């Protein structure tokens, strides 16, 4: 038995013992809290008049509740550690010492008792920097006692699942990618090691980059972009932990399941969940005071597919082409310039400057106009009026006057009356009419629905009229699938978030008809402190899948890692029922009732949401468990998933089955390419 396996068995025993002890403590404290509660309610009327006994009882109760809460958190942490107690170890010989000391690294510290030497060190502990910052050889780390130097003489990486050792690799450098680790565990020849070392060296330059404020990663499919970006965040959280916490990191994700999915990629983060947000949901909430609902990116995509299908049926593609052209124009720099021109014109007619009087205090129209055009000239229009109102209130109070809440409300209403309207929807409609575009329906708020082409222009207009909320708490922004964001969306994002950014994507995986290369404008928008890096080594998909995807969309300069797997199967079927039957026959998912090892994840990918739901129902009729990813999904589930291709962007599955689509559709090749590159090990395409 290897050292790793021996230590795993040893640590599992210790974890189980500690788990049972804490569980007993929780049960005891819960009973104690119940007793204290009963005692309090039975006796509180007889407690001394000064409340000392009452205070002592409440303090004891609070302490017990807090202790129990901590125990419950610890129990959850131990449960996670039982599944995978550690993922790395290193042997370190301190300077002037003869024997090496071994450190095991995991998601959390673990020792048998408080104050004892840890049996497992938290990945954020000072000694863990040896694991992250150094390869085999001379190394040092900063401990409370000062800088400690020595030499790393051995490094091992482990994969432990369900408390079982899957593999352990001794290596002189860290491999951050699971696929590369697995390949090396199967075959450790020198050539393979050198290839992996080259890939890892390239990835480390990104992961450990702490100098550039903005890092843009343009990576081909299968280059490990997401894994690299997440390890970079873990590295930054470790090295800047006094200033940067997981709550200060925001991931702008392609869909609601992405944050749950990345938790599987980066176990080092442990219970520290990173916040994620989809831009469309954010935009809706920001405009919810003015509209009832809006179309999101994926609903717009399905609308365009339907328009194109209808156009092909009637030999009239004019509506599709008009909608498509208008969408692209409304996301462009030229359209932003038109909005900017409208905002400038608005200053001349939106405000009716007049004296504001409250009791005996007056601010004249001239004073208001001077503050509006000079003092607050660089502030959005509505916010200028708000600032002038605050000035009025401050000056009134300075004179020794008091204001009740109702008085302040009355003053604010008087200043609000200076504006002819504060309704962003109506103002955007005035812009559309003035600049010759089709206007939105003139309806009440509860009937207002806006299409995706107008969602971000309206949001942009809002921020030119009302100062955006401060997002200083976000100290690092990660933007994934960068190719799917427009010039207008980036204009809004860069205005909202001034923090450092990691931006990643693949121009070949855009859902647009034509590739959108954001590198043509994004570095210029970001300005100084921007570094752009390209990843051109594809290794996460097998060679067979990578070559199949390359035949759909070829990119020059891409190097494919020779990771062998099954050939891609292309099968012709008559209907959805045949597809479901064939998928069932090919599914190779893990099953605790079987001895053979299977895959964790499989996916059937479709063009539209309706198809995904229909196919999922057919699986259920065949007693096959499956889940659909849709707009309400928040978790990434193992097993069989059915999803439209756009919800699978950014995700990967061990097995992928692709439903046929109409080859005449403009998006057909993009659909094929995105679906194919979601498959890690096996790909079946139904024609």
């Amino acid at each position: 038995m290897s050292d790793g396996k021996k230590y795993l068995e040893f640590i599992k025993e210790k974890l189980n013992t500690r788990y049972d002890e804490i569980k007993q403590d929780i049960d005891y404290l819960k009973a104690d809290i119940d007793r204290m509660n009963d005692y309090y309610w039975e006796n509180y009327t007889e407690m001394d008049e000064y409340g000392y006994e009452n205070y002592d009882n409440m303090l004891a109760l609070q302490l017990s509740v807090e202790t129990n809460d901590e125990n419950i958190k610890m129990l959850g942490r131990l449960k996670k550690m039982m599944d995978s107690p550690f993922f790395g170890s290193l042997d370190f010989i301190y300077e002037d010492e003869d024997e090496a000391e071994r450190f095991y690294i995991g998601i959390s510290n673990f020792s048998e008792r408080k104050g004892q030497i840890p049996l497992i060190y938290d990945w954020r502990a000072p000694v863990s920097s040896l694991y992250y910052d150094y390869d085999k050889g001379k190394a040092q780390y900063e401990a409370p006692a000062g800088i400690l130097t020595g030499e790393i003489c051995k490094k091992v990486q482990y994969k432990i699942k369900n408390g079982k050792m899957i593999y352990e690799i001794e290596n002189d450098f860290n491999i951050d990618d699971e696929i590369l680790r697995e390949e090396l565990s199967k075959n450790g020849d020198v050539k393979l090691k050198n290839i992996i070392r080259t890939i890892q060296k390239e990835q480390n330059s990104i992961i450990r980059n702490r100098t550039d404020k903005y890092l843009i990663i343009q990576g081909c499919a299968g280059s490990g972009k997401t894994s690299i970006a997440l390890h970079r965040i873990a590295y930054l959280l470790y090295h800047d932990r006094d200033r940067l916490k997981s709550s200060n990191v925001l991931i702008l994700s392609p869909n609601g399941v992405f944050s749950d999915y990345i938790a599987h990629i980066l176990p080092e983060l442990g219970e520290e969940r990173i916040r994620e947000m989809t831009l469309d949901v954010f935009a809706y909430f920001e405009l919810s005071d003015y509209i009832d609902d809006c179309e999101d990116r994926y609903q717009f995509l399905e609308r365009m597919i339907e328009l194109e299908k209808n156009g092909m049926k009637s030999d009239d593609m004019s509506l599709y082409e008009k909608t498509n052209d208008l969408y692209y124009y409304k996301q462009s720099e030229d359209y932003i310039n038109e909005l900017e021109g409208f905002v400038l014109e608005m200053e001349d007619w939106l405000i009716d400057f007049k004296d504001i009087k409250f009791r005996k205090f007056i601010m004249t129209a001239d004073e208001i106009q001077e503050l509006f055009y000079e003092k607050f000239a660089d502030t959005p229009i509505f916010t200028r009026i708000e600032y002038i109102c605050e000035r009025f209130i401050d000056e009134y109070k300075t004179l020794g006057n008091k204001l009740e809440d109702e008085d302040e409300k009355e003053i604010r209403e008087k200043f609000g009356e200076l504006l002819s309207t504060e309704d962003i929807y109506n103002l955007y409609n005035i812009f559309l009419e003035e600049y010759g575009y089709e206007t939105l329906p003139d309806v009440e708020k509860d009937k207002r629905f806006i299409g995706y082409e107008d969602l971000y222009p309206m949001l942009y207009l809002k921020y030119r009229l009302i100062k955006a909320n401060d997002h200083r708490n976000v100290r690092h922004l990660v933007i994934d699938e960068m190719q799917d964001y427009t010039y207008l969306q980036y204009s809004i994002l860069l205005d909202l978030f001034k923090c450092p950014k990691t931006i990643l994507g693949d121009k070949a995986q855009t859902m647009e008809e034509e590739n959108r290369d954001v590198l043509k404008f994004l570095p210029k928008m970001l300005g100084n402190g921007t570094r752009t890096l390209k990843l051109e080594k594809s290794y996460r998909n097998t060679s067979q899948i990578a070559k199949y995807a390359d035949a759909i969309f070829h990119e020059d300069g891409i190097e494919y890692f020779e990771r062998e797997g099954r050939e891609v199967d292309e099968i012709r079927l008559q209907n959805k029922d045949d597809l479901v039957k064939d998928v069932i026959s090919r599914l190779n998912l893990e099953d605790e009732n079987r001895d053979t090892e299977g895959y964790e994840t499989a996916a059937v990918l479709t063009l539209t949401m309706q198809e995904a739901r229909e196919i999922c129902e057919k699986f259920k009729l065949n007693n096959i468990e499956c889940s659909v990813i849709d707009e309400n999904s928040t978790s990434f589930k193992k097993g069989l998933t059915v999803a439209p291709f756009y919800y699978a962007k950014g995700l990967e599955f061990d097995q992928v089955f692709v439903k046929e689509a109409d080859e005449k559709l403009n998006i057909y090749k993009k659909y094929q390419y995105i679906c194919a590159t979601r498959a890690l090990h096996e790909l079946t395409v139904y024609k």
Side-chain angles (χ1 to χ4, degrees):
M1 187 183 285
S2 68
D3 288 351
K5 284 183 179 177
K6 285 178 187 172
Y7 200 74
L8 176 59
E9 294 308 311
F10 165 78
I11 212 73
K12 276 163 58 179
E13 188 181 328
K14 298 294 183 186
L15 284 165
N16 278 314
T17 302
R18 191 82 184 102
Y19 185 89
D20 291 341
E21 289 172 354
I22 290 177
K23 202 165 184 311
Q24 285 177 7
D25 287 347
I26 289 171
D27 293 340
Y28 173 79
L29 272 170
K30 189 176 181 303
D32 199 39
I33 289 166
D34 290 341
R35 281 195 299 272
M36 282 192 277
N37 272 318
D38 291 343
Y39 176 81
Y40 178 81
W41 289 111
E42 287 169 9
N43 298 283
Y44 78 97
T45 54
E46 298 174 12
M47 291 180 186
D48 59 278
E49 62 178 305
Y50 297 106
Y52 296 131
E53 188 181 353
N54 180 35
Y55 175 78
D56 288 343
N57 273 280
M58 292 303 292
L59 196 63
L61 181 61
Q62 184 183 347
L63 187 62
S64 293
V65 169
E66 287 174 357
T67 303
N68 223 27
D69 286 344
E70 282 301 311
N71 281 339
I72 290 167
K73 284 180 187 175
M74 174 59 80
L75 208 63
R77 203 172 296 132
L78 289 173
K79 204 168 185 180
K80 279 187 178 181
M81 293 186 80
M82 285 173 181
D83 180 60
S84 180
F86 51 88
F87 50 79
S89 72
L90 60 98
D91 290 5
F92 186 67
I93 304 175
Y94 287 99
E95 198 172 89
D96 300 326
E97 295 284 338
D98 296 326
E99 290 188 17
E101 190 170 337
R102 180 167 296 174
F103 301 98
Y104 284 89
I105 315 293
I107 62 170
S108 184
N109 262 6
F110 175 70
S111 53
E112 288 191 79
R113 293 286 178 271
K114 276 188 179 180
Q116 291 185 349
I117 294 173
L119 299 173
I120 298 170
Y121 286 85
D122 190 301
W123 68 280
R124 291 151 294 199
V127 72
S128 299
S129 67
L130 295 171
Y131 181 81
Y132 284 99
D133 290 350
Y134 296 96
D135 295 333
K136 205 168 164 184
K138 297 288 182 187
Q140 64 179 40
Y141 70 97
E142 189 172 354
I147 303 291
L148 300 176
T149 59
E151 184 178 349
I152 298 171
C153 54
K154 185 179 180 182
K155 289 185 80 168
V156 184
Q157 290 180 281
Y158 308 92
K159 180 176 182 181
I160 301 169
K161 186 177 169 187
N162 299 326
K164 293 179 181 177
M165 182 70 71
I166 308 300
Y167 61 73
E168 51 185 299
I169 310 164
E170 184 179 341
N171 221 354
D172 58 356
F173 60 98
N174 283 335
I175 305 168
D176 293 311
D177 192 278
E178 171 63 24
I179 294 283
L180 293 177
R181 283 200 296 266
E182 199 157 333
E183 282 300 300
L184 202 56
S185 73
K186 293 174 188 171
N187 180 6
D189 68 57
V190 175
K191 184 181 176 185
L192 182 68
K193 262 191 175 181
N194 287 337
I195 293 169
I196 291 175
R197 184 188 290 274
T198 304
I199 293 171
Q200 192 59 55
K201 187 177 179 183
E202 187 178 52
Q203 293 185 351
N204 275 340
S205 69
I206 300 170
I207 292 168
R208 300 182 183 190
N209 183 313
R210 294 168 65 198
T211 21
D212 298 302
K213 186 175 182 183
Y214 309 118
L215 201 58
I216 303 175
I217 307 165
Q218 171 73 52
C220 64
S223 59
K225 306 178 288 295
T226 303
S227 176
I228 293 166
L230 294 172
H231 278 91
R232 170 170 160 74
I233 294 306
Y235 184 81
L236 294 174
L237 286 170
Y238 174 82
H239 279 278
D240 201 8
R241 53 190 177 277
D242 291 337
R243 192 192 70 89
L244 190 68
K245 311 240 179 315
S246 59
S247 58
N248 303 130
V249 179
L250 175 66
I251 295 180
L252 198 62
S253 65
N255 54 61
V257 304
F258 189 75
S259 64
D260 192 57
Y261 169 72
I262 63 178
H264 298 273
I265 296 179
L266 198 61
E268 288 97 319
L269 289 178
E271 72 272 14
E272 291 195 23
R273 201 171 183 88
I274 291 176
R275 291 187 296 157
E276 66 87 28
M277 166 184 95
T278 60
L279 190 58
D280 291 350
V281 172
F282 174 79
Y284 165 71
F285 279 114
E286 285 291 283
L287 292 172
S288 58
D289 287 341
Y290 314 102
I291 62 172
D292 181 58
D293 202 358
C294 64
E295 187 177 45
D296 67 23
R297 178 73 184 89
Y298 302 139
Q299 291 166 336
F300 173 73
L301 179 65
E302 293 224 2
R303 171 159 62 106
M304 294 304 296
I305 290 170
E306 200 57 39
L307 282 176
E308 190 179 2
K309 283 179 178 177
N310 293 337
M312 288 190 289
K313 285 176 191 172
S314 62
D315 293 326
D316 182 8
M317 297 287 285
S318 55
L319 182 57
Y320 167 80
E321 288 163 351
K322 180 186 173 185
T323 307
N324 200 45
D325 291 346
L326 190 61
Y327 165 72
Y328 282 113
Y329 185 72
K330 285 187 174 183
Q331 310 304 308
S332 70
E333 188 175 6
D334 289 339
Y335 196 68
I336 290 176
N337 290 336
E338 289 182 5
L339 282 165
E340 287 292 341
F342 176 68
V343 171
L344 284 174
E345 294 166 12
M346 207 185 295
E347 291 187 3
D348 296 330
W349 57 264
L350 185 64
I351 300 113
D352 177 20
F353 293 105
K354 59 186 179 184
D355 295 351
I356 297 290
K357 182 180 179 183
F358 181 75
R359 292 172 187 162
K360 293 181 180 180
F361 186 74
I362 297 175
M363 183 178 279
T364 66
D366 287 343
E367 287 176 297
I368 293 169
Q369 197 163 355
E370 185 180 350
L371 288 168
F372 184 87
Y373 285 112
E374 294 182 22
K375 174 73 175 174
F376 302 120
D378 296 330
T379 307
I381 293 174
F382 289 2
T383 308
R384 280 188 236 178
I385 298 299
E386 187 184 324
Y387 285 178
I388 295 167
C389 177
E390 294 294 341
R391 172 71 71 93
F392 182 98
I393 290 169
D394 288 345
E395 288 180 0
Y396 183 81
K397 287 180 178 178
T398 303
L399 295 173
N401 301 308
K402 289 186 178 180
L403 282 176
E404 301 295 332
D405 290 344
E406 286 301 312
D407 297 333
E408 285 201 21
K409 184 181 176 184
E410 183 184 335
I411 293 168
R412 292 184 195 284
E413 285 172 356
K414 286 176 181 286
F415 274 92
E417 289 167 5
L418 297 178
L419 297 163
S420 58
T421 179
E422 294 183 70
D423 191 327
I424 306 292
Y425 182 92
N426 285 338
L427 286 168
Y428 184 65
N429 243 352
I430 293 168
F431 160 76
L432 291 173
E433 184 176 21
E434 189 174 314
Y435 280 73
Y437 299 102
E438 186 179 338
T439 58
L440 305 174
D442 184 13
V443 292
E444 296 300 311
K445 178 186 174 294
D446 62 355
K447 292 188 175 78
R448 290 175 181 175
F449 177 89
I450 57 171
Y452 194 68
E453 60 269 38
D454 290 305
L455 178 62
Y456 290 96
M458 192 184 292
L459 183 61
Y460 184 88
L461 180 62
K462 176 189 171 180
Y463 290 146
R464 295 299 288 114
L465 297 172
I466 302 170
K467 189 177 180 182
N469 290 332
D470 193 345
H471 292 279
R472 287 183 190 174
N473 185 50
V474 177
R475 293 175 187 162
H476 198 101
L477 179 70
V478 179
I479 302 176
D480 197 17
E481 303 294 333
M482 68 180 182
Q483 71 279 358
D484 287 337
Y485 297 95
T486 65
Y487 185 94
L488 175 57
Q489 288 169 328
Y490 276 115
S491 297
I492 292 169
L493 282 170
L494 300 188
D495 192 46
L496 290 176
F497 302 99
K498 309 292 186 187
C499 60
K501 298 173 182 67
T502 300
I503 305 171
L504 57 144
D506 173 14
K507 65 181 179 182
Q509 291 187 58
T510 178
M511 292 185 293
E512 315 298 337
E513 294 168 18
E514 300 296 328
N515 288 346
R516 182 191 291 133
D517 189 356
V518 298
L519 295 185
K520 290 179 178 176
F521 61 79
L522 187 53
K524 187 178 177 183
M525 291 178 82
L526 290 166
N528 294 333
T530 303
R531 181 184 292 271
T532 301
L533 297 164
K534 293 189 178 182
L535 298 172
E536 297 178 322
K537 294 181 179 68
S538 176
Y539 61 86
R540 290 189 65 81
N541 315 105
T542 63
S543 299
Q544 289 80 0
I545 293 169
K547 286 168 186 172
Y548 182 86
D550 186 66
I552 298 168
F553 181 86
H554 176 71
E555 279 192 273
D556 292 332
I558 305 302
E559 296 176 41
Y560 294 104
F561 182 73
E562 292 299 319
R563 188 166 79 79
E564 290 304 312
R566 276 180 49 180
E567 290 297 329
V568 175
D569 282 329
E570 290 188 326
I571 300 170
R572 294 202 173 273
L573 295 174
Q574 297 299 314
N575 52 47
K576 292 187 184 82
D577 288 323
D578 288 345
L579 181 149
V580 167
K581 286 175 187 173
D582 194 74
V583 170
I584 292 171
S585 71
R586 293 167 181 269
L587 273 178
N588 182 26
L589 291 170
E590 287 183 340
D591 187 344
E592 59 185 19
N593 299 316
R594 293 186 314 182
D595 294 332
T596 55
E597 284 191 16
Y599 294 127
E600 287 188 347
T601 58
V604 177
L605 302 182
T606 64
L607 185 67
T608 66
M609 179 57 74
Q610 182 181 341
E611 288 176 319
R613 291 192 171 121
E614 286 173 1
I615 287 172
C616 190
E617 284 306 309
K618 289 182 182 294
F619 276 118
K620 288 177 179 177
L621 288 172
N622 282 273
N623 296 316
I624 301 295
E625 285 189 24
C626 70
S627 56
V628 172
I629 298 179
D630 60 18
E631 66 276 10
N632 299 314
S633 301
T634 56
S635 62
F636 180 78
K637 296 175 182 175
K638 292 180 181 178
L640 178 62
T641 297
V642 187
F645 77 105
Y646 47 78
Y647 275 124
K649 278 174 66 63
L651 310 179
E652 292 173 323
F653 304 88
D654 296 314
Q655 281 182 292
V656 167
F657 305 90
V658 184
K659 185 189 174 297
E660 77 280 4
D662 189 339
E663 293 182 11
K664 293 176 185 175
L665 289 169
N666 285 317
I667 203 170
Y668 175 69
K669 282 203 167 185
K670 295 292 180 188
Y671 167 69
Q672 273 196 313
Y673 184 79
I674 290 169
C675 288
T677 53
R678 300 308 89 215
L680 291 174
H681 306 297
E682 292 184 16
L683 174 64
T684 304
V685 179
Y686 298 105
K687 292 289 190 180

